Amino acid sequence: MQNTVTPTHCPYCALQCGMNLTPAPDGTVEVGERTDFPVNRGALCGKGRTAPALLSSRVRLTSPLVRSGDGALVPAPWDEALDRIADGLRRTRAEHGADAVGVFGGGGLTNEKAYGLGKFARVVLGTSQIDYNGRFCMSSAAAAGTKAFGLDRGLPFPLEDVPRTGCVILVGSNPAETMPPSLRYFTELKENGGTLIVVDPRRTRTAEQADLHLAPRPGTDLALALGLLHLIVAEGRTDEAYIRERTVGWEEARAAAMAHWPEYVERITGVSVPQLREAVRLFCEPEAAMVLTARGPEQQSKGTDTVGAWINLCLATGRAGRPLSGYGCLTGQGNGQGGREHGQKADQLPGYRKLTDPAARRHVAEVWGVAPDSLPGPGRSAYELLDALGTDIRSLLLMGSNPVVSAPRAAHVEERVRALDFLAVCDVVLSETAALADVVLPVTQWAEETGTTTNLEGRVLLRRRAVDPPEGVRSDLEVLHELAARLGGDRGLEKGFPTDPEEVFEELRRASAGGPADYSGITYRRLAEENGVFWPCPAPADGPPHTAGAGDVGDPEDAALDALPDDPARAEDPRPGPGAHPGTPRLFLDRFATEDGRARFAPVSHRAIAEEPDDEYPVLLTTGRVVAQYQSGAQTRRVDELNAAAPGPFVELHPRLAERLGAAEGDPVAVVSRRGRAVAPARITTAIRPDTVFMPFHWAGEGRANTLTNPALDPTSRMPEFKACAVRLEAVRT
């Protein structure tokens, strides 16, 4: 590649921060600020700044690896590696049937790769057994949002709206560490006279910025939301006209909330009644307010109900589908939003269509050139798929995920992976999961390929190729093309798996057309010219230019928004051409995406977590991230600067708990659950509740936090209960 500046996006979290990349003469790549991108306005965290370190052949794979006769992984030519994968998958299908082959994807794959992987599973392999690690991200919020609004998009408004609202309740989110460039939105909120309420059992860096910090016992967020709604009703703060005109189900939801009186909620959560009343005051007094959730309330076996209870607060006070108000979810993974919209998820087809919908099957089958009846039905969710490895599922094709570290009950998942007849992994690095594979394929990464992602706002973005990949590395799209050629016999299936990402995106547009996540009006050219386009964005029909009407779920030119003060930091994007749909930055301003246009209240009640503390396991464990590492750490643990900042796991515990254990700062502490044992140094702090310990989940080995976590699943979203389980602590004598 020439020594030119390429505008692109960070490979990590769902902000998808803009950055400029410039190849240097010495072979390195320099990161520069990209101030024209409105999400981060040039700001980058340490992970983004150091992302080019992963492009070095010193830390990444550059040759296929195959398992030799003595059990070692050894380099091999591409054709041999691809042949081995095709033979392994073909043999499993012949001996055990199509559903004995599993496919597991990742929330970091581009839209094109996620789309191709879902199509490959259903058309080439004929298997229903496909899901992805995004199931562990925001599936509970997706389920609750779909129930309430008829449509799931992480944020139904741009981040630029956050500083202009009156109050934000941030539930179970720590953006100061998980997506640092976003913290400026909350800082600006306070500078503009708004207030920030943070709900978190730990006093995180984000909680330190809050006007009010509520520290509930892990797993009690549902009771907390119900208690706040009780007070909203009791204090006469509901918006009765809005409830009548724009919602259904209020009577049942109100009755459920009224059973959660403040003193009862205080006993459950540990949050005092005066704090509950203050939260209600701060939330209800401004004209506009928001509730934003993240993994805290979502990664629970009752996560869907919990998020539904927080949505109820917005509906009861008339704060959803109105300017500068509403409920939103802060998506975690880089393409967690787009990754589930286009077919990686066990129950979905491209465009966020339901796999069980006959019309959806007909539409997608026509685009794919297959019979609708040939498409398999819904398969297992992520953890259930992993749990079935080595028994019902005998072979697995895995792209861009590291479940041996990231899945709950990780030691058990590792056992299941080892029990497979055949495992093939496509990855940039030799992750802990890839190290167990029969074949590992080295694939291109963010700066070496062009493709689209969809950030937490529903803004579809164009990542541009800035450098050439090392010799010996191919793209995931090439892998799917080659495997389709080998597994398709004389059917020519590889023709349906082009290697050019723009060609794949053009097919994705057709497949998504008319679906809830409609990308049909989005093109690579528009993405480049307009700095991203918000879905839904249907293709222009013949006739006059698009004008939003009563049937639209949102209108970016809504008069109420035009009347609001301008944000001086807001970047102005060029408008699309005549007849083109402008995209939908703000959803639900006219109506919700339900059949009758009304939002649904969730009639939910508090219930305990799946595993409450007892005499044997008296302490609660919660897990999360630290600023210098990302997800399973497969990438960030290979960056020297990030490892220096966060070199390993730790156990965060309160001084009173440490005193009872006889542990001092830095002493090794064992955390034991019913599923296993992890050991890490003690980090003693008053920033955590005395009945709770915290561990980050980025590391493998004896400090692997997910050895401990509980795979109890939410009945709707199938989200595991990462955020709360019973443990005991043991001093480790050295």
Side-chain angles (χ1 to χ4, degrees):
M1 302 288 285
Q2 295 181 346
N3 186 21
T4 56
V5 177
T6 301
T8 189
H9 296 273
C10 178
Y12 289 112
C13 81
L15 289 179
Q16 288 296 278
C17 292
M19 58 169 59
N20 288 322
L21 297 182
T22 306
D26 62 0
T28 61
V29 178
E30 297 176 356
V31 175
E33 290 187 359
R34 183 181 166 194
T35 57
D36 68 309
F37 186 62
V39 173
N40 63 308
R41 306 177 218 156
L44 292 170
C45 72
K47 294 187 290 291
R49 286 188 296 96
T50 60
L54 293 166
L55 302 172
S56 168
S57 58
R58 181 179 64 84
V59 298
R60 50 95 58 87
L61 297 169
T62 57
S63 171
L65 303 174
V66 300
R67 190 72 59 184
S68 66
D70 64 1
L73 282 172
V74 297
W78 266 94
D79 281 343
E80 178 185 342
L82 290 165
D83 287 344
R84 284 208 191 190
I85 295 174
D87 289 345
L89 301 181
R90 187 185 297 112
R91 185 167 56 252
T92 295
R93 290 182 63 201
E95 294 177 1
H96 303 286
D99 275 357
V101 178
V103 177
F104 200 83
L109 300 180
T110 63
N111 290 319
E112 292 80 0
K113 292 191 284 189
Y115 173 84
L117 190 61
K119 180 181 179 182
F120 180 84
R122 295 177 174 106
V123 173
V124 177
L125 297 176
T127 182
S128 66
Q129 301 303 305
I130 174 172
D131 212 87
Y132 81 128
N133 63 14
R135 176 79 68 168
F136 301 154
C137 179
M138 56 176 288
S139 58
S140 294
T146 301
K147 282 185 175 183
F149 309 126
L151 183 70
D152 155 49
R153 196 180 84 184
L155 291 181
F157 41 74
L159 276 167
E160 67 185 36
D161 286 0
V162 171
R164 299 191 289 161
T165 192
C167 177
V168 172
I169 302 181
L170 194 58
V171 189
S173 177
N174 182 18
E177 298 199 62
T178 58
M179 44 181 67
S182 72
L183 192 63
R184 68 167 55 185
Y185 290 98
F186 303 103
T187 302
E188 291 169 5
L189 165 74
K190 297 180 64 176
E191 291 172 349
N192 292 340
T195 55
L196 176 63
I197 301 171
V198 172
V199 179
D200 199 303
R202 303 167 61 226
R203 189 166 182 81
T204 63
R205 296 184 189 179
T206 304
E208 289 174 354
Q209 309 299 314
D211 297 282
L212 177 63
H213 173 212
L214 307 180
R217 184 172 174 267
T220 64
D221 310 271
L222 174 53
L224 179 61
L226 289 163
L228 295 176
L229 184 55
H230 178 111
L231 286 171
I232 286 170
V233 174
E235 296 177 6
R237 297 180 183 270
T238 57
D239 187 332
E240 295 297 326
Y242 174 95
I243 291 170
R244 284 193 307 272
E245 294 165 7
R246 299 202 62 185
T247 72
V248 296
W250 170 231
E251 295 300 325
E252 295 85 351
R254 180 174 60 185
M258 297 316 288
H260 296 77
W261 59 94
E263 291 77 13
Y264 172 56
V265 169
E266 180 181 63
R267 290 199 300 272
I268 294 171
T269 65
V271 177
S272 70
V273 173
Q275 284 185 308
L276 296 174
R277 294 189 183 278
E278 178 66 359
V280 167
R281 184 187 71 80
L282 293 175
F283 182 67
C284 292
E285 285 188 352
E287 183 178 346
M290 298 174 179
V291 173
L292 304 179
T293 68
R295 306 301 80 76
E298 298 163 19
Q299 288 182 327
Q300 298 183 27
S301 59
K302 52 185 173 178
T304 302
D305 285 356
T306 301
V307 173
W310 287 101
I311 291 174
N312 285 351
L313 264 64
C314 294
L315 298 179
T317 55
R319 305 299 180 82
R322 283 182 169 171
L324 306 184
S325 288
Y327 164 77
C329 167
L330 299 178
T331 310
Q333 294 190 79
N335 198 30
Q337 181 72 51
R340 69 180 180 282
E341 293 168 1
H342 299 299
Q344 275 193 108
K345 203 157 168 273
D347 56 353
Q348 286 175 194
L349 287 170
Y352 224 147
R353 287 180 158 91
K354 293 181 179 178
L355 191 53
T356 53
D357 179 1
R361 294 170 68 88
R362 284 194 301 272
H363 175 86
V364 174
E366 183 177 356
V367 173
W368 288 352
V370 299
D373 291 346
S374 71
L375 299 179
R380 293 173 171 87
S381 70
Y383 179 77
E384 291 166 304
L385 189 156
L386 296 171
D387 189 42
L389 299 181
T391 53
D392 293 340
I393 298 174
R394 308 300 292 267
S395 291
L396 182 69
L397 173 64
L398 186 146
M399 281 189 173
S401 185
N402 188 19
V404 163
V405 176
S406 63
R409 198 185 174 195
H412 171 74
V413 169
E414 181 175 345
E415 289 176 2
R416 301 323 313 146
V417 170
R418 291 179 181 276
L420 283 164
D421 295 342
F422 182 80
L423 172 63
V425 173
C426 301
D427 210 331
V428 173
V429 298
L430 190 66
S431 69
E432 285 76 14
T433 305
L436 304 178
D438 297 282
V439 179
V440 183
L441 298 181
V443 290
T444 51
Q445 54 180 308
W446 62 292
E448 300 163 350
E449 59 188 13
T450 294
T452 63
T453 61
T454 306
N455 81 343
L456 76 172
E457 307 166 297
R459 189 193 304 252
V460 185
L461 306 166
L462 182 63
R463 274 196 203 156
R464 298 168 175 88
R465 176 170 169 162
V467 296
D468 294 326
E471 185 178 353
V473 173
R474 299 185 186 180
S475 75
D476 294 284
L477 295 180
E478 291 178 271
V479 171
L480 294 176
H481 177 87
E482 292 293 338
L483 290 178
R486 285 164 168 79
L487 292 166
D490 58 359
R491 293 181 290 165
L493 292 182
E494 70 277 7
K495 296 175 184 176
F497 295 88
T499 60
D500 175 28
E502 188 169 7
E503 188 176 346
V504 177
F505 189 79
E506 288 299 305
E507 183 178 302
L508 182 157
R509 292 176 61 206
R510 298 195 302 275
S512 73
D518 190 335
Y519 283 32
S520 60
I522 304 174
T523 64
Y524 270 32
R525 179 175 178 177
R526 282 194 66 179
L527 295 178
E529 293 177 349
E530 299 173 37
N531 234 339
V533 177
F534 292 85
W535 71 261
C537 182
D542 293 337
H546 171 87
T547 55
D552 288 333
V553 295
D555 178 4
E557 305 303 328
D558 186 270
L561 276 165
D562 289 342
L564 292 167
D566 288 335
D567 177 359
R570 180 176 178 177
E572 292 297 333
D573 294 335
R575 304 310 302 162
H581 190 287
T584 316
R586 296 171 181 89
L587 296 170
F588 314 137
L589 295 178
D590 297 314
R591 69 192 307 275
F592 295 99
T594 55
E595 199 169 307
D596 60 6
R598 293 169 175 262
R600 271 69 174 147
F601 278 96
V604 295
S605 296
H606 169 71
R607 62 182 186 273
I609 59 175
E611 187 180 73
E612 290 283 355
D614 56 21
D615 290 343
E616 188 177 2
Y617 299 95
V619 177
L620 281 167
L621 167 72
T622 192
T623 64
R625 287 169 48 186
V626 297
V627 66
Q629 300 289 352
Y630 181 72
Q631 304 299 73
S632 74
Q635 298 172 72
T636 50
R637 285 187 274 118
R638 288 168 167 81
V639 178
D640 292 342
E641 182 179 330
L642 299 179
N643 273 334
F650 57 86
V651 180
E652 188 177 275
L653 68 163
H654 192 275
R656 288 196 304 221
L657 195 53
E659 184 178 3
R660 289 203 301 270
L661 186 65
E665 180 76 17
D667 285 352
V669 171
V671 185
V672 184
S673 77
R674 290 178 172 85
R675 288 153 297 281
R677 183 175 189 265
V679 178
R683 183 172 293 182
I684 301 172
T685 174
T686 57
I688 193 167
R689 292 173 54 96
D691 58 2
T692 301
V693 295
F694 167 83
M695 289 188 71
F697 55 70
H698 309 291
W699 287 273
E702 70 171 3
R704 181 174 59 185
N706 278 320
T707 296
L708 309 166
T709 49
N710 191 351
L713 301 180
D714 180 285
T716 302
S717 68
R718 315 308 288 169
M719 168 72 85
E721 193 153 63
F722 287 98
K723 287 301 180 186
C725 69
V727 298
R728 68 170 181 265
L729 304 184
E730 298 174 352
V732 177
R733 307 304 175 195
T734 58

